[in-house]
PDB file of all heavy atoms in Angstrom:
ATOM      1  N   GLY A   1       9.135 -13.519  17.425  1.00 41.00           N
ATOM      2  CA  GLY A   1       7.891 -12.911  17.011  1.00 41.00           C
ATOM      3  C   GLY A   1       8.072 -12.267  15.662  1.00 41.00           C
ATOM      4  O   GLY A   1       9.183 -12.114  15.177  1.00 41.00           O
ATOM      5  N   LEU A   2       6.998 -11.850  15.020  1.00 71.00           N
ATOM      6  CA  LEU A   2       7.079 -11.169  13.751  1.00 71.00           C
ATOM      7  C   LEU A   2       5.819 -10.358  13.533  1.00 71.00           C
ATOM      8  O   LEU A   2       4.771 -10.638  14.091  1.00 71.00           O
ATOM      9  CB  LEU A   2       7.274 -12.163  12.611  1.00 71.00           C
ATOM     10  CG  LEU A   2       6.112 -13.057  12.203  1.00 71.00           C
ATOM     11  CD1 LEU A   2       6.356 -13.633  10.819  1.00 71.00           C
ATOM     12  CD2 LEU A   2       5.941 -14.204  13.181  1.00 71.00           C
ATOM     13  N   TYR A   3       5.971  -9.313  12.727  1.00 82.00           N
ATOM     14  CA  TYR A   3       4.816  -8.522  12.339  1.00 82.00           C
ATOM     15  C   TYR A   3       3.980  -9.283  11.316  1.00 82.00           C
ATOM     16  O   TYR A   3       4.508  -9.950  10.433  1.00 82.00           O
ATOM     17  CB  TYR A   3       5.251  -7.205  11.722  1.00 82.00           C
ATOM     18  CG  TYR A   3       5.657  -6.140  12.697  1.00 82.00           C
ATOM     19  CD1 TYR A   3       6.809  -5.385  12.503  1.00 82.00           C
ATOM     20  CD2 TYR A   3       4.877  -5.859  13.814  1.00 82.00           C
ATOM     21  CE1 TYR A   3       7.178  -4.399  13.386  1.00 82.00           C
ATOM     22  CE2 TYR A   3       5.236  -4.886  14.714  1.00 82.00           C
ATOM     23  CZ  TYR A   3       6.395  -4.145  14.485  1.00 82.00           C
ATOM     24  OH  TYR A   3       6.753  -3.162  15.372  1.00 82.00           O
ATOM     25  N   LEU A   4       2.667  -9.129  11.407  1.00 85.00           N
ATOM     26  CA  LEU A   4       1.746  -9.703  10.448  1.00 85.00           C
ATOM     27  C   LEU A   4       0.946  -8.585   9.792  1.00 85.00           C
ATOM     28  O   LEU A   4       0.592  -7.597  10.443  1.00 85.00           O
ATOM     29  CB  LEU A   4       0.785 -10.675  11.135  1.00 85.00           C
ATOM     30  CG  LEU A   4       1.385 -11.958  11.707  1.00 85.00           C
ATOM     31  CD1 LEU A   4       0.351 -12.683  12.550  1.00 85.00           C
ATOM     32  CD2 LEU A   4       1.878 -12.858  10.588  1.00 85.00           C
ATOM     33  N   TYR A   5       0.660  -8.736   8.512  1.00 92.00           N
ATOM     34  CA  TYR A   5      -0.205  -7.804   7.804  1.00 92.00           C
ATOM     35  C   TYR A   5      -1.664  -8.256   7.859  1.00 92.00           C
ATOM     36  O   TYR A   5      -2.555  -7.507   7.469  1.00 92.00           O
ATOM     37  CB  TYR A   5       0.231  -7.684   6.342  1.00 92.00           C
ATOM     38  CG  TYR A   5       1.642  -7.176   6.159  1.00 92.00           C
ATOM     39  CD1 TYR A   5       2.708  -8.059   6.018  1.00 92.00           C
ATOM     40  CD2 TYR A   5       1.919  -5.813   6.122  1.00 92.00           C
ATOM     41  CE1 TYR A   5       4.003  -7.604   5.839  1.00 92.00           C
ATOM     42  CE2 TYR A   5       3.211  -5.336   5.950  1.00 92.00           C
ATOM     43  CZ  TYR A   5       4.248  -6.239   5.806  1.00 92.00           C
ATOM     44  OH  TYR A   5       5.542  -5.785   5.643  1.00 92.00           O
ATOM     45  N   GLU A   6      -1.888  -9.470   8.328  1.00 92.00           N
ATOM     46  CA  GLU A   6      -3.238 -10.033   8.402  1.00 92.00           C
ATOM     47  C   GLU A   6      -3.838  -9.707   9.773  1.00 92.00           C
ATOM     48  O   GLU A   6      -3.544 -10.376  10.761  1.00 92.00           O
ATOM     49  CB  GLU A   6      -3.185 -11.541   8.169  1.00 92.00           C
ATOM     50  CG  GLU A   6      -2.732 -11.929   6.773  1.00 92.00           C
ATOM     51  CD  GLU A   6      -1.235 -11.782   6.537  1.00 92.00           C
ATOM     52  OE1 GLU A   6      -0.467 -11.913   7.509  1.00 92.00           O
ATOM     53  OE2 GLU A   6      -0.826 -11.521   5.388  1.00 92.00           O
ATOM     54  N   ILE A   7      -4.671  -8.663   9.837  1.00 93.00           N
ATOM     55  CA  ILE A   7      -5.186  -8.170  11.124  1.00 93.00           C
ATOM     56  C   ILE A   7      -6.709  -8.156  11.177  1.00 93.00           C
ATOM     57  O   ILE A   7      -7.301  -7.478  12.018  1.00 93.00           O
ATOM     58  CB  ILE A   7      -4.632  -6.763  11.432  1.00 93.00           C
ATOM     59  CG1 ILE A   7      -5.007  -5.779  10.321  1.00 93.00           C
ATOM     60  CG2 ILE A   7      -3.123  -6.812  11.642  1.00 93.00           C
ATOM     61  CD1 ILE A   7      -4.651  -4.331  10.637  1.00 93.00           C
ATOM     62  N   GLY A   8      -7.360  -8.903  10.279  1.00 94.00           N
ATOM     63  CA  GLY A   8      -8.816  -8.949  10.293  1.00 94.00           C
ATOM     64  C   GLY A   8      -9.465  -7.866   9.457  1.00 94.00           C
ATOM     65  O   GLY A   8     -10.600  -7.465   9.734  1.00 94.00           O
ATOM     66  N   THR A   9      -8.771  -7.386   8.411  1.00 95.00           N
ATOM     67  CA  THR A   9      -9.327  -6.397   7.486  1.00 95.00           C
ATOM     68  C   THR A   9      -9.207  -6.922   6.054  1.00 95.00           C
ATOM     69  O   THR A   9      -8.619  -7.964   5.800  1.00 95.00           O
ATOM     70  CB  THR A   9      -8.583  -5.052   7.592  1.00 95.00           C
ATOM     71  OG1 THR A   9      -7.214  -5.244   7.184  1.00 95.00           O
ATOM     72  CG2 THR A   9      -8.618  -4.527   9.025  1.00 95.00           C
ATOM     73  N   ARG A  10      -9.727  -6.143   5.100  1.00 95.00           N
ATOM     74  CA  ARG A  10      -9.660  -6.538   3.689  1.00 95.00           C
ATOM     75  C   ARG A  10      -8.242  -6.502   3.127  1.00 95.00           C
ATOM     76  O   ARG A  10      -7.988  -7.006   2.036  1.00 95.00           O
ATOM     77  CB  ARG A  10     -10.555  -5.624   2.846  1.00 95.00           C
ATOM     78  CG  ARG A  10     -12.031  -5.849   3.029  1.00 95.00           C
ATOM     79  CD  ARG A  10     -12.846  -5.287   1.866  1.00 95.00           C
ATOM     80  NE  ARG A  10     -12.527  -3.909   1.555  1.00 95.00           N
ATOM     81  CZ  ARG A  10     -11.881  -3.523   0.448  1.00 95.00           C
ATOM     82  NH1 ARG A  10     -11.458  -4.421  -0.429  1.00 95.00           N
ATOM     83  NH2 ARG A  10     -11.643  -2.247   0.228  1.00 95.00           N
ATOM     84  N   ASP A  11      -7.298  -5.889   3.850  1.00 95.00           N
ATOM     85  CA  ASP A  11      -5.927  -5.780   3.353  1.00 95.00           C
ATOM     86  C   ASP A  11      -5.311  -7.139   3.047  1.00 95.00           C
ATOM     87  O   ASP A  11      -4.429  -7.244   2.192  1.00 95.00           O
ATOM     88  CB  ASP A  11      -5.063  -5.040   4.378  1.00 95.00           C
ATOM     89  CG  ASP A  11      -5.541  -3.615   4.608  1.00 95.00           C
ATOM     90  OD1 ASP A  11      -5.179  -2.743   3.805  1.00 95.00           O
ATOM     91  OD2 ASP A  11      -6.291  -3.394   5.575  1.00 95.00           O
ATOM     92  N   ALA A  12      -5.752  -8.194   3.753  1.00 95.00           N
ATOM     93  CA  ALA A  12      -5.205  -9.529   3.497  1.00 95.00           C
ATOM     94  C   ALA A  12      -5.468  -9.975   2.060  1.00 95.00           C
ATOM     95  O   ALA A  12      -4.661 -10.681   1.461  1.00 95.00           O
ATOM     96  CB  ALA A  12      -5.803 -10.540   4.475  1.00 95.00           C
ATOM     97  N   GLY A  13      -6.596  -9.563   1.484  1.00 97.00           N
ATOM     98  CA  GLY A  13      -6.915  -9.920   0.106  1.00 97.00           C
ATOM     99  C   GLY A  13      -6.105  -9.170  -0.926  1.00 97.00           C
ATOM    100  O   GLY A  13      -6.181  -9.459  -2.119  1.00 97.00           O
ATOM    101  N   LEU A  14      -5.300  -8.198  -0.459  1.00 97.00           N
ATOM    102  CA  LEU A  14      -4.405  -7.444  -1.328  1.00 97.00           C
ATOM    103  C   LEU A  14      -2.946  -7.760  -1.049  1.00 97.00           C
ATOM    104  O   LEU A  14      -2.048  -7.109  -1.589  1.00 97.00           O
ATOM    105  CB  LEU A  14      -4.640  -5.942  -1.131  1.00 97.00           C
ATOM    106  CG  LEU A  14      -5.957  -5.398  -1.669  1.00 97.00           C
ATOM    107  CD1 LEU A  14      -6.335  -4.100  -0.951  1.00 97.00           C
ATOM    108  CD2 LEU A  14      -5.864  -5.171  -3.166  1.00 97.00           C
ATOM    109  N   ALA A  15      -2.682  -8.740  -0.179  1.00 96.00           N
ATOM    110  CA  ALA A  15      -1.326  -9.050   0.280  1.00 96.00           C
ATOM    111  C   ALA A  15      -0.661  -7.811   0.862  1.00 96.00           C
ATOM    112  O   ALA A  15       0.545  -7.649   0.765  1.00 96.00           O
ATOM    113  CB  ALA A  15      -0.483  -9.639  -0.847  1.00 96.00           C
ATOM    114  N   SER A  16      -1.471  -6.912   1.430  1.00 95.00           N
ATOM    115  CA  SER A  16      -1.059  -5.674   2.097  1.00 95.00           C
ATOM    116  C   SER A  16      -0.805  -4.516   1.138  1.00 95.00           C
ATOM    117  O   SER A  16      -0.496  -3.407   1.581  1.00 95.00           O
ATOM    118  CB  SER A  16       0.188  -5.865   2.975  1.00 95.00           C
ATOM    119  OG  SER A  16       1.371  -5.905   2.202  1.00 95.00           O
ATOM    120  N   ALA A  17      -0.905  -4.703  -0.176  1.00 97.00           N
ATOM    121  CA  ALA A  17      -0.665  -3.616  -1.124  1.00 97.00           C
ATOM    122  C   ALA A  17      -1.613  -2.445  -0.856  1.00 97.00           C
ATOM    123  O   ALA A  17      -2.796  -2.643  -0.598  1.00 97.00           O
ATOM    124  CB  ALA A  17      -0.833  -4.122  -2.553  1.00 97.00           C
ATOM    125  N   GLY A  18      -1.094  -1.237  -0.895  1.00 97.00           N
ATOM    126  CA  GLY A  18      -1.885  -0.054  -0.583  1.00 97.00           C
ATOM    127  C   GLY A  18      -2.097   0.158   0.898  1.00 97.00           C
ATOM    128  O   GLY A  18      -2.924   0.967   1.314  1.00 97.00           O
ATOM    129  N   TRP A  19      -1.320  -0.543   1.718  1.00 97.00           N
ATOM    130  CA  TRP A  19      -1.458  -0.567   3.181  1.00 97.00           C
ATOM    131  C   TRP A  19      -1.713   0.814   3.782  1.00 97.00           C
ATOM    132  O   TRP A  19      -2.660   1.015   4.552  1.00 97.00           O
ATOM    133  CB  TRP A  19      -0.200  -1.191   3.765  1.00 97.00           C
ATOM    134  CG  TRP A  19      -0.099  -1.314   5.246  1.00 97.00           C
ATOM    135  CD1 TRP A  19       0.540  -0.448   6.095  1.00 97.00           C
ATOM    136  CD2 TRP A  19      -0.622  -2.365   6.074  1.00 97.00           C
ATOM    137  NE1 TRP A  19       0.468  -0.904   7.393  1.00 97.00           N
ATOM    138  CE2 TRP A  19      -0.240  -2.082   7.399  1.00 97.00           C
ATOM    139  CE3 TRP A  19      -1.349  -3.522   5.818  1.00 97.00           C
ATOM    140  CZ2 TRP A  19      -0.575  -2.904   8.475  1.00 97.00           C
ATOM    141  CZ3 TRP A  19      -1.684  -4.348   6.883  1.00 97.00           C
ATOM    142  CH2 TRP A  19      -1.301  -4.041   8.183  1.00 97.00           C
ATOM    143  N   ALA A  20      -0.871   1.789   3.472  1.00 98.00           N
ATOM    144  CA  ALA A  20      -0.955   3.101   4.111  1.00 98.00           C
ATOM    145  C   ALA A  20      -1.652   4.148   3.252  1.00 98.00           C
ATOM    146  O   ALA A  20      -1.759   5.307   3.665  1.00 98.00           O
ATOM    147  CB  ALA A  20       0.452   3.598   4.468  1.00 98.00           C
ATOM    148  N   ALA A  21      -2.145   3.759   2.056  1.00 98.00           N
ATOM    149  CA  ALA A  21      -2.733   4.735   1.147  1.00 98.00           C
ATOM    150  C   ALA A  21      -4.188   4.451   0.796  1.00 98.00           C
ATOM    151  O   ALA A  21      -4.904   5.369   0.391  1.00 98.00           O
ATOM    152  CB  ALA A  21      -1.907   4.823  -0.135  1.00 98.00           C
ATOM    153  N   ARG A  22      -4.640   3.197   0.918  1.00 96.00           N
ATOM    154  CA  ARG A  22      -6.013   2.868   0.516  1.00 96.00           C
ATOM    155  C   ARG A  22      -7.018   3.647   1.348  1.00 96.00           C
ATOM    156  O   ARG A  22      -7.928   4.286   0.807  1.00 96.00           O
ATOM    157  CB  ARG A  22      -6.246   1.359   0.647  1.00 96.00           C
ATOM    158  CG  ARG A  22      -7.468   0.848  -0.070  1.00 96.00           C
ATOM    159  CD  ARG A  22      -7.484  -0.670  -0.105  1.00 96.00           C
ATOM    160  NE  ARG A  22      -7.395  -1.259   1.215  1.00 96.00           N
ATOM    161  CZ  ARG A  22      -8.435  -1.409   2.038  1.00 96.00           C
ATOM    162  NH1 ARG A  22      -9.638  -1.006   1.657  1.00 96.00           N
ATOM    163  NH2 ARG A  22      -8.278  -1.970   3.222  1.00 96.00           N
ATOM    164  N   ALA A  23      -6.925   3.577   2.656  1.00 96.00           N
ATOM    165  CA  ALA A  23      -7.653   4.472   3.574  1.00 96.00           C
ATOM    166  C   ALA A  23      -9.125   4.646   3.224  1.00 96.00           C
ATOM    167  O   ALA A  23      -9.631   5.776   3.173  1.00 96.00           O
ATOM    168  CB  ALA A  23      -6.957   5.844   3.608  1.00 96.00           C
ATOM    169  N   ASP A  24      -9.843   3.537   2.998  1.00 94.00           N
ATOM    170  CA  ASP A  24     -11.259   3.675   2.656  1.00 94.00           C
ATOM    171  C   ASP A  24     -12.183   2.966   3.634  1.00 94.00           C
ATOM    172  O   ASP A  24     -13.368   2.798   3.355  1.00 94.00           O
ATOM    173  CB  ASP A  24     -11.508   3.180   1.222  1.00 94.00           C
ATOM    174  CG  ASP A  24     -11.341   1.674   1.068  1.00 94.00           C
ATOM    175  OD1 ASP A  24     -10.847   1.029   2.016  1.00 94.00           O
ATOM    176  OD2 ASP A  24     -11.698   1.149  -0.007  1.00 94.00           O
ATOM    177  N   ASP A  25     -11.656   2.530   4.801  1.00 96.00           N
ATOM    178  CA  ASP A  25     -12.516   1.961   5.826  1.00 96.00           C
ATOM    179  C   ASP A  25     -11.872   2.175   7.196  1.00 96.00           C
ATOM    180  O   ASP A  25     -10.764   2.720   7.304  1.00 96.00           O
ATOM    181  CB  ASP A  25     -12.797   0.473   5.571  1.00 96.00           C
ATOM    182  CG  ASP A  25     -11.544  -0.382   5.516  1.00 96.00           C
ATOM    183  OD1 ASP A  25     -10.621  -0.142   6.322  1.00 96.00           O
ATOM    184  OD2 ASP A  25     -11.486  -1.305   4.673  1.00 96.00           O
ATOM    185  N   ALA A  26     -12.562   1.752   8.251  1.00 97.00           N
ATOM    186  CA  ALA A  26     -12.097   2.014   9.614  1.00 97.00           C
ATOM    187  C   ALA A  26     -10.785   1.325   9.948  1.00 97.00           C
ATOM    188  O   ALA A  26     -10.065   1.743  10.866  1.00 97.00           O
ATOM    189  CB  ALA A  26     -13.174   1.582  10.616  1.00 97.00           C
ATOM    190  N   GLY A  27     -10.414   0.269   9.190  1.00 97.00           N
ATOM    191  CA  GLY A  27      -9.156  -0.412   9.430  1.00 97.00           C
ATOM    192  C   GLY A  27      -7.939   0.457   9.190  1.00 97.00           C
ATOM    193  O   GLY A  27      -6.836   0.113   9.617  1.00 97.00           O
ATOM    194  N   THR A  28      -8.135   1.607   8.527  1.00 97.00           N
ATOM    195  CA  THR A  28      -7.013   2.505   8.275  1.00 97.00           C
ATOM    196  C   THR A  28      -6.396   3.033   9.565  1.00 97.00           C
ATOM    197  O   THR A  28      -5.243   3.464   9.562  1.00 97.00           O
ATOM    198  CB  THR A  28      -7.449   3.688   7.379  1.00 97.00           C
ATOM    199  OG1 THR A  28      -6.286   4.435   7.004  1.00 97.00           O
ATOM    200  CG2 THR A  28      -8.404   4.603   8.115  1.00 97.00           C
ATOM    201  N   LEU A  29      -7.113   2.987  10.680  1.00 96.00           N
ATOM    202  CA  LEU A  29      -6.521   3.480  11.929  1.00 96.00           C
ATOM    203  C   LEU A  29      -5.305   2.658  12.327  1.00 96.00           C
ATOM    204  O   LEU A  29      -4.395   3.158  12.998  1.00 96.00           O
ATOM    205  CB  LEU A  29      -7.552   3.527  13.052  1.00 96.00           C
ATOM    206  CG  LEU A  29      -8.110   2.227  13.644  1.00 96.00           C
ATOM    207  CD1 LEU A  29      -7.240   1.682  14.770  1.00 96.00           C
ATOM    208  CD2 LEU A  29      -9.522   2.479  14.177  1.00 96.00           C
ATOM    209  N   ALA A  30      -5.237   1.384  11.892  1.00 97.00           N
ATOM    210  CA  ALA A  30      -4.073   0.548  12.180  1.00 97.00           C
ATOM    211  C   ALA A  30      -2.999   0.688  11.117  1.00 97.00           C
ATOM    212  O   ALA A  30      -1.809   0.575  11.412  1.00 97.00           O
ATOM    213  CB  ALA A  30      -4.491  -0.915  12.298  1.00 97.00           C
ATOM    214  N   THR A  31      -3.388   0.913   9.854  1.00 97.00           N
ATOM    215  CA  THR A  31      -2.431   0.939   8.752  1.00 97.00           C
ATOM    216  C   THR A  31      -1.921   2.331   8.429  1.00 97.00           C
ATOM    217  O   THR A  31      -0.796   2.483   7.958  1.00 97.00           O
ATOM    218  CB  THR A  31      -3.056   0.326   7.495  1.00 97.00           C
ATOM    219  OG1 THR A  31      -4.203   1.108   7.110  1.00 97.00           O
ATOM    220  CG2 THR A  31      -3.510  -1.109   7.765  1.00 97.00           C
ATOM    221  N   ASN A  32      -2.733   3.350   8.653  1.00 98.00           N
ATOM    222  CA  ASN A  32      -2.336   4.757   8.531  1.00 98.00           C
ATOM    223  C   ASN A  32      -3.385   5.610   9.227  1.00 98.00           C
ATOM    224  O   ASN A  32      -4.451   5.867   8.662  1.00 98.00           O
ATOM    225  CB  ASN A  32      -2.200   5.175   7.073  1.00 98.00           C
ATOM    226  CG  ASN A  32      -1.722   6.625   6.935  1.00 98.00           C
ATOM    227  OD1 ASN A  32      -1.639   7.364   7.912  1.00 98.00           O
ATOM    228  ND2 ASN A  32      -1.406   7.026   5.715  1.00 98.00           N
ATOM    229  N   PRO A  33      -3.128   6.046  10.458  1.00 98.00           N
ATOM    230  CA  PRO A  33      -4.140   6.794  11.213  1.00 98.00           C
ATOM    231  C   PRO A  33      -4.634   8.051  10.502  1.00 98.00           C
ATOM    232  O   PRO A  33      -5.761   8.499  10.750  1.00 98.00           O
ATOM    233  CB  PRO A  33      -3.399   7.155  12.511  1.00 98.00           C
ATOM    234  CG  PRO A  33      -2.361   6.097  12.669  1.00 98.00           C
ATOM    235  CD  PRO A  33      -1.920   5.772  11.266  1.00 98.00           C
ATOM    236  N   ALA A  34      -3.828   8.623   9.605  1.00 98.00           N
ATOM    237  CA  ALA A  34      -4.255   9.828   8.897  1.00 98.00           C
ATOM    238  C   ALA A  34      -5.462   9.572   8.007  1.00 98.00           C
ATOM    239  O   ALA A  34      -6.227  10.490   7.701  1.00 98.00           O
ATOM    240  CB  ALA A  34      -3.096  10.374   8.057  1.00 98.00           C
ATOM    241  N   GLY A  35      -5.660   8.328   7.591  1.00 97.00           N
ATOM    242  CA  GLY A  35      -6.756   8.000   6.693  1.00 97.00           C
ATOM    243  C   GLY A  35      -8.132   8.166   7.300  1.00 97.00           C
ATOM    244  O   GLY A  35      -9.127   8.275   6.569  1.00 97.00           O
ATOM    245  N   LEU A  36      -8.226   8.190   8.634  1.00 97.00           N
ATOM    246  CA  LEU A  36      -9.539   8.359   9.265  1.00 97.00           C
ATOM    247  C   LEU A  36     -10.211   9.665   8.843  1.00 97.00           C
ATOM    248  O   LEU A  36     -11.443   9.735   8.727  1.00 97.00           O
ATOM    249  CB  LEU A  36      -9.384   8.357  10.791  1.00 97.00           C
ATOM    250  CG  LEU A  36      -9.154   7.017  11.489  1.00 97.00           C
ATOM    251  CD1 LEU A  36      -9.048   7.231  12.989  1.00 97.00           C
ATOM    252  CD2 LEU A  36     -10.264   6.028  11.176  1.00 97.00           C
ATOM    253  N   ALA A  37      -9.423  10.713   8.603  1.00 96.00           N
ATOM    254  CA  ALA A  37      -9.986  12.034   8.318  1.00 96.00           C
ATOM    255  C   ALA A  37     -10.723  12.086   6.979  1.00 96.00           C
ATOM    256  O   ALA A  37     -11.502  13.012   6.749  1.00 96.00           O
ATOM    257  CB  ALA A  37      -8.885  13.087   8.347  1.00 96.00           C
ATOM    258  N   ARG A  38     -10.510  11.121   6.096  1.00 95.00           N
ATOM    259  CA  ARG A  38     -11.203  11.149   4.811  1.00 95.00           C
ATOM    260  C   ARG A  38     -12.487  10.318   4.825  1.00 95.00           C
ATOM    261  O   ARG A  38     -13.210  10.282   3.825  1.00 95.00           O
ATOM    262  CB  ARG A  38     -10.266  10.706   3.684  1.00 95.00           C
ATOM    263  CG  ARG A  38      -9.848   9.258   3.699  1.00 95.00           C
ATOM    264  CD  ARG A  38      -8.954   8.954   2.483  1.00 95.00           C
ATOM    265  NE  ARG A  38      -9.601   9.327   1.247  1.00 95.00           N
ATOM    266  CZ  ARG A  38     -10.444   8.562   0.570  1.00 95.00           C
ATOM    267  NH1 ARG A  38     -10.770   7.354   1.037  1.00 95.00           N
ATOM    268  NH2 ARG A  38     -10.986   8.983  -0.549  1.00 95.00           N
ATOM    269  N   LEU A  39     -12.808   9.656   5.946  1.00 95.00           N
ATOM    270  CA  LEU A  39     -14.055   8.907   6.039  1.00 95.00           C
ATOM    271  C   LEU A  39     -15.213   9.864   6.297  1.00 95.00           C
ATOM    272  O   LEU A  39     -15.084  10.825   7.057  1.00 95.00           O
ATOM    273  CB  LEU A  39     -13.971   7.866   7.158  1.00 95.00           C
ATOM    274  CG  LEU A  39     -12.824   6.848   7.059  1.00 95.00           C
ATOM    275  CD1 LEU A  39     -12.918   5.835   8.193  1.00 95.00           C
ATOM    276  CD2 LEU A  39     -12.822   6.149   5.704  1.00 95.00           C
ATOM    277  N   THR A  40     -16.355   9.579   5.691  1.00 94.00           N
ATOM    278  CA  THR A  40     -17.503  10.487   5.786  1.00 94.00           C
ATOM    279  C   THR A  40     -18.638   9.936   6.643  1.00 94.00           C
ATOM    280  O   THR A  40     -19.587  10.657   6.939  1.00 94.00           O
ATOM    281  CB  THR A  40     -18.056  10.793   4.384  1.00 94.00           C
ATOM    282  OG1 THR A  40     -18.434   9.567   3.743  1.00 94.00           O
ATOM    283  CG2 THR A  40     -16.999  11.494   3.541  1.00 94.00           C
ATOM    284  N   GLN A  41     -18.559   8.663   7.033  1.00 95.00           N
ATOM    285  CA  GLN A  41     -19.603   8.046   7.846  1.00 95.00           C
ATOM    286  C   GLN A  41     -18.989   7.254   8.986  1.00 95.00           C
ATOM    287  O   GLN A  41     -17.872   6.734   8.856  1.00 95.00           O
ATOM    288  CB  GLN A  41     -20.440   7.065   7.003  1.00 95.00           C
ATOM    289  CG  GLN A  41     -21.270   7.679   5.911  1.00 95.00           C
ATOM    290  CD  GLN A  41     -21.967   6.590   5.108  1.00 95.00           C
ATOM    291  OE1 GLN A  41     -21.442   6.114   4.105  1.00 95.00           O
ATOM    292  NE2 GLN A  41     -23.149   6.188   5.546  1.00 95.00           N
TER     293      GLN A  41
END
């Protein structure tokens, strides 16, 4: 088995760059759960 960065979010279009820091949509709960706190909607 292996880990995949392609999980059905926009991160695939970045080749995973910014994985744990972009934190601008709900997909951040998988890439960095702390990012949820900066969402406003």
Side-chain angles (χ1 to χ4, degrees):
L2 72 162
Y3 281 135
L4 293 170
Y5 299 94
E6 295 76 29
I7 58 173
T9 64
R10 288 200 309 110
D11 298 277
L14 290 157
S16 78
W19 179 263
R22 196 170 56 82
D24 69 350
D25 59 40
T28 188
L29 69 87
T31 61
N32 183 352
L36 284 181
R38 68 178 305 275
L39 303 183
T40 58
Q41 294 176 268

